[in-house]
Amino acid sequence: MSSFRKRVPESQPKIPPATRLNAHSAQLLVSTGVPSLDDLLGGGLPVGGILMIEEDRQTGYSNTLLSYFSSQSLAAGHKLCIVNADQEVDLKAQLPGWATRNTVQADAPVKDATSEAMKIAWRYQNLPRVDGDDDANRQKTSGSSTSEVAEIPFCERFDLMLRIQPAVVDQAQVEVLDGDRLLRLASSEKYGGDMYQCVLDHISSLIDDGFSSLKPVAQNTERNILRIEIGSLGSGFWQGSDSLAILKFLHRLRGILRYSYAVCMISFPAHLYEDSGTRLPIVRRIEHLCDAVIELESFEGTYASPSDIVARQAKSGASTSQDYHGFVHIHKLPRLNSLTASVGRLSLLHTGGGSANNLAFRLRRKKFSIETYHLPIEGGVSERRVPAKDDPKALRPGISVGGIGCGSTPGRKDPLEF
């Protein structure tokens, strides 16, 4: 009798909701809320990792990515911990809402993508999309009634023009350490004003409360994900025991997250750690302690003064939806459970002609996206190159619009007509 036993699906542990496995390293992934950013990371942010967003100078595009991260946590039903020493956090006024429905009728017909053929550029209809509906990655769980099925997408589609519903925030599991509360806890006798140690102990207690991978769970029990958001880590409002407190904090935080079902996104003001335009060596050490590091270099914050930025934003129509707002620099990619990053095999932006040197981001009215940077057409896209057919100035006298045949050009008489 053989000693091998077949693993049945009932005995396998269930993965948390709104997660998926990396096809390259079998690492559990969660979404950042931005599909194009997930693509750059190789499909998503690995559980147990730290993503650092280096803030852009004098603008707030990094806060937009943090708001996407928080909204995705609420949409997926994950627990959220927000730490911000610079300002007070108001989730109902800061987080974007989503427009897709959370429930669909089970009796409704399933929409077949292959039945709708593209009329133009039909050869591209089978190619994957970076910013689009991710219907193939939706997880279905049985709802309260038999007529409805709750859909938990891996990445929700958010609309920056909408605000999250207050009822969603009230029902969510959210822990907030901001402003006065963080200062009051850190000023206690236990910490003596060390904010880094205070935040680290709070995160450690949250992980021990059901998010540690070292503690087994009952069979067929679905785990959940803890999302940690830290805004402007290392700014002037953060107080530590010494000048190396931020390095000790990141080193211990990474060790805690490795054995947990938690993921962390941090925004870091790297422009504060400069001397005469040159970054200090501590910035490189901070990047080394994170699993992924992405820098946002906005055009406004780099090449303009604060007064110029305000004046430009006050003008109506100063920028169109086709303008890029800055560059995206990739300093480090996640390599958990692997020696090499899986971006080259799984990323559409990289395999589709993009690289770490020609990526840009743009902030539209409804969404934030990362795309491959292309120079504009010479002369601009607002200038008409081909004259209109009904424009009398576009034709020479005595030549009509009609009479287009074989070998003829628009606006000229067909030479084959006698």
Side-chain angles (χ1 to χ4, degrees), residues 156-177:
E156 190 63 75
R157 297 181 59 188
F158 299 100
D159 190 347
L160 294 177
M161 299 186 64
L162 302 178
R163 282 291 163 256
I164 192 170
Q165 299 180 0
V168 177
V169 180
D170 297 337
Q171 298 175 2
Q173 305 178 22
V174 182
E175 293 280 344
V176 179
L177 286 177

Side-chain angles (χ1 to χ4, degrees), residues 279-290:
R279 289 189 174 181
L280 300 177
I282 193 175
V283 177
R284 182 59 181 169
R285 299 178 63 182
I286 292 175
E287 294 176 352
H288 180 70
L289 293 173
C290 299

Side-chain angles (χ1 to χ4, degrees), residues 137-281:
N137 298 320
R138 292 178 180 269
Q139 300 177 355
K140 294 183 179 181
T141 57
S142 58
S144 57
S145 61
T146 59
S147 61
E148 292 186 356
V149 177
E151 280 194 349
I152 305 179
F154 176 76
C155 182
E156 190 63 75
R157 297 181 59 188
F158 299 100
D159 190 347
L160 294 177
M161 299 186 64
L162 302 178
R163 282 291 163 256
I164 192 170
Q165 299 180 0
V168 177
V169 180
D170 297 337
Q171 298 175 2
Q173 305 178 22
V174 182
E175 293 280 344
V176 179
L177 286 177
D178 60 345
D180 296 338
R181 181 185 178 187
L182 178 58
L183 182 61
R184 184 171 58 256
L185 293 177
S187 301
S188 61
E189 185 179 356
K190 178 180 180 180
Y191 301 108
D194 191 354
M195 291 186 177
Y196 295 98
Q197 186 63 36
C198 177
V199 173
L200 193 63
D201 290 347
H202 184 75
I203 294 175
S204 179
S205 62
L206 291 178
I207 292 177
D208 292 339
D209 189 15
F211 296 97
S212 176
S213 60
L214 301 177
K215 297 180 180 180
V217 296
Q219 187 177 0
N220 296 332
T221 300
E222 189 177 52
R223 288 184 178 271
N224 201 0
I225 298 295
L226 172 63
R227 290 175 177 253
I228 304 171
E229 173 192 322
I230 304 178
S232 298
L233 180 68
S235 65
F237 291 92
W238 284 81
Q239 303 175 6
S241 57
D242 51 21
S243 59
L244 302 179
I246 185 174
L247 298 178
K248 300 176 183 177
F249 171 79
L250 292 175
H251 187 270
R252 294 187 57 187
L253 178 63
R254 188 174 65 171
I256 295 175
L257 295 180
R258 283 295 188 270
Y259 301 95
S260 66
Y261 284 86
V263 65
C264 182
M265 177 182 284
I266 300 175
S267 65
F268 174 66
H271 58 274
L272 299 179
Y273 294 80
E274 294 182 356
D275 185 11
S276 301
T278 304
R279 289 189 174 181
L280 300 177

Side-chain angles (χ1 to χ4, degrees), residues 7 81 84 116 122 184 218 272 274 371:
R7 178 179 293 182
C81 176
N84 197 319
E116 296 185 357
W122 53 270
R184 184 171 58 256
L272 299 179
E274 294 182 356
E371 305 172 4

Side-chain angles (χ1 to χ4, degrees), residues 1-76:
M1 181 177 178
S2 176
S3 60
F4 294 99
R5 295 183 180 180
K6 183 179 179 180
R7 178 179 293 182
V8 294
E10 289 77 13
S11 61
Q12 296 180 359
K14 294 183 178 180
I15 63 175
T19 60
R20 63 185 178 190
L21 295 177
N22 190 335
H24 174 62
S25 60
Q27 179 70 31
L28 194 64
L29 303 177
V30 297
S31 175
T32 60
V34 183
S36 54
L37 181 57
D38 293 340
D39 179 79
L40 290 180
L41 298 175
L45 185 59
V47 174
I50 302 175
L51 171 62
M52 174 171 287
I53 305 295
E54 296 186 357
E55 298 180 0
D56 45 309
R57 188 188 303 269
Q58 300 176 355
T59 53
Y61 294 110
S62 59
N63 294 331
T64 304
L65 292 179
L66 293 179
S67 64
Y68 269 103
F69 183 78
S70 300
S71 294
Q72 178 62 36
S73 175
L74 301 185

